[in-house]
Amino acid sequence: MANSTGNIIDYVSRRTASFDERPFNDVDALVLASLAYQRMPAAVPTLETALERHGTFAARVRDLPSYRKRAGVSMLGALRALLRAPFPAVTLADAYAALDGGDFAHDAGYTGLADPELTEALFAGAAANPRFAPIRVGGVRERFSEEDQTQFAAMTMLLPDGTLAVAFRGTDTSFVGWKEDFNMAFQYPVPAQRSAAEYVAHVAGLWRGDLILLGHSKGGNLAVYAAMHADDEVRARIRRVYSLDGPGFPDEVVAGEEYRAVADRVVKIVPETSIVGMILETPEPCRVVRSNEWGLMQHLAFSWRVRGDAFVEAPGVSASSRYFNRSLNQWLAGMSAEQRERAVDALFAVLGASERKGLLGLRDVGPKQVAAMLGTFAGLSDEDRRHLVEAATLLVKASLSIGGDPGEREERDDDSRDAER
């Protein structure tokens, strides 16, 4: 693959050198962020289990006999666990072995927008690769609440050199997850951002070592937020923060001290026609990568081109991406927080009334139908309705990326272009 291009599946299938030989790189970050879309099997310990057993010295004393039995260590090894919390985890290889083919499905354990078969292939390649197979994964936490409009998930992976790679899951296919993303236009912080900061505080308090925070889509935004709100001691341990086509923050946030304190460690990578990564302010310089898809479909991590140990880079984002960024941010700047909230509530009230179950249910809906649904919603100006149709069109396009027949997808894309005109 040194002279040819592929994607992250090709990368985990062919690049087998250890982290001692080739240090952690940008492509590794996208691999781990992509694995985080898969719900881990029960064999992978949760953060709650770690906190209960090892969160305090008293808890470690109580758990000592059980820990010695579980870990199969000597009394001396068990006593060391009193001073330093052990990292309860399984290897990526063992995590994959605990999953079966049925777990890689949208109605089972897979939560992302890509074809679940791609994630299964990525997991299989990583589990067979001596670079990734020994990585230990634990500290899983998932929170989902329709009432609080919260969708959050994270896991921690222990690299061979002792670095803790914290991977935040991006937006799933639920309307709850997408509404929380849209809520960022008027609410700061959203519940998932607070959950991310809390998660990093727990991880850093339990386990020693440097930290790499990473995530794709909303996960990238959560990684940056968690770094911004870490205390000084934890922040000093953070080596890098990867926002992989993740949305930005309101302009008053990126102008603040907390953001400036971590800005030099933020690595933001976006595809040429980035849409999600251009939402809200994005002051840090973006590295731009090539994709084998077009438009919104470039958001999918499996479309990013890889050569050797690095992404194939492009000179900059496309004119359409820059136009979207300017138009959206100007639109948001011209609205009050109340107007933004009303518009978002209107959009998801209509989508919820459609009895569609998240983005999976939108696959059979064209933007014209969504426009008709929004047309029945009272109290919207013509301009608000037009902008909501544009926002709904993005959701429909995102839904089209979830599997489906290529011919049907092309036909729906034509429908999307007609609606945009």
Side-chain angles (χ1 to χ4, degrees), residues 287-308:
R287 298 208 359 242
V288 184
V289 301
R290 300 280 188 191
S291 166
N292 64 356
E293 291 284 0
W294 63 274
L296 182 64
M297 296 285 287
Q298 290 195 0
H299 184 58
L300 300 183
F302 294 97
S303 78
W304 295 13
R305 308 312 295 162
V306 179
R307 179 182 290 117

Side-chain angles (χ1 to χ4, degrees), residues 323-338:
Y323 173 78
F324 173 84
N325 185 30
R326 279 196 313 272
S327 299
L328 179 66
N329 291 340
Q330 286 171 3
W331 177 53
L332 292 175
M335 300 171 69
S336 68
E338 273 188 345

Side-chain angles (χ1 to χ4, degrees), residues 50-346:
L51 289 170
E52 180 183 344
R53 292 175 176 171
H54 312 297
T56 64
F57 181 79
R60 293 196 288 274
V61 170
R62 288 194 302 270
D63 188 61
L64 193 64
S66 176
Y67 170 71
R68 186 182 177 191
K69 183 177 180 180
R70 288 194 313 271
V73 298
S74 65
M75 180 56 74
L76 179 61
L79 290 174
R80 288 196 189 103
L82 292 178
L83 302 176
R84 179 179 179 180
F87 183 69
V90 302
T91 65
L92 275 178
D94 287 340
Y96 177 66
L99 295 166
D100 62 39
D103 292 317
F104 293 95
H106 286 293
D107 58 356
Y110 181 64
T111 64
L113 300 182
D115 186 336
E117 291 184 3
L118 296 175
T119 297
E120 184 174 10
L122 181 69
F123 224 125
N129 186 329
R131 179 176 179 81
F132 293 97
I135 292 175
R136 297 178 61 76
V137 56
V140 171
R141 171 175 277 180
E142 295 201 23
R143 287 178 175 171
F144 184 90
S145 170
E146 289 192 21
E147 182 179 354
D148 299 331
Q149 297 171 18
T150 305
Q151 174 254 320
F152 172 82
M155 60 191 67
T156 299
M157 305 187 199
L158 182 64
L159 303 182
D161 68 352
T163 297
L164 298 162
V166 176
F168 295 101
R169 181 179 297 163
T171 310
D172 63 14
T173 60
S174 70
F175 281 154
V176 168
W178 281 88
K179 189 170 192 295
E180 188 177 37
D181 288 357
F182 276 67
N183 286 348
M184 290 180 182
F186 62 85
Q187 180 183 349
Y188 181 85
V190 296
Q193 290 170 329
R194 285 194 289 265
S195 294
E198 178 186 62
Y199 181 87
V200 169
H202 283 314
V203 167
L206 277 170
W207 303 304
R208 300 176 188 175
D210 288 346
L211 295 156
I212 295 175
L213 311 185
L214 59 93
H216 173 260
S217 192
K218 181 176 76 174
N221 176 281
L222 300 185
V224 177
Y225 181 91
M228 289 165 51
H229 292 272
D231 64 35
D232 291 343
E233 184 180 348
V234 173
R235 193 181 290 165
R237 293 165 54 186
I238 297 174
R239 282 167 39 193
R240 265 164 290 170
V241 185
Y242 283 95
S243 178
L244 304 165
D245 207 26
F249 296 88
D251 54 3
E252 64 270 19
V253 174
V254 298
E257 267 184 48
E258 291 169 332
Y259 183 85
R260 288 199 300 269
V262 299
D264 62 335
R265 282 166 278 181
V266 174
V267 180
K268 181 149 186 174
I269 304 175
V270 300
E272 288 177 278
T273 57
S274 174
I275 299 295
V276 177
M278 293 290 104
I279 295 173
L280 298 177
E281 293 297 318
T282 306
E284 67 278 347
C286 294
R287 298 208 359 242
V288 184
V289 301
R290 300 280 188 191
S291 166
N292 64 356
E293 291 284 0
W294 63 274
L296 182 64
M297 296 285 287
Q298 290 195 0
H299 184 58
L300 300 183
F302 294 97
S303 78
W304 295 13
R305 308 312 295 162
V306 179
R307 179 182 290 117
D309 299 333
F311 292 115
V312 179
E313 296 199 17
V317 294
S318 66
S320 62
S321 182
R322 292 194 300 272
Y323 173 78
F324 173 84
N325 185 30
R326 279 196 313 272
S327 299
L328 179 66
N329 291 340
Q330 286 171 3
W331 177 53
L332 292 175
M335 300 171 69
S336 68
E338 273 188 345
Q339 287 173 318
R340 296 179 191 181
E341 182 174 5
R342 191 167 61 247
V344 171
D345 284 346

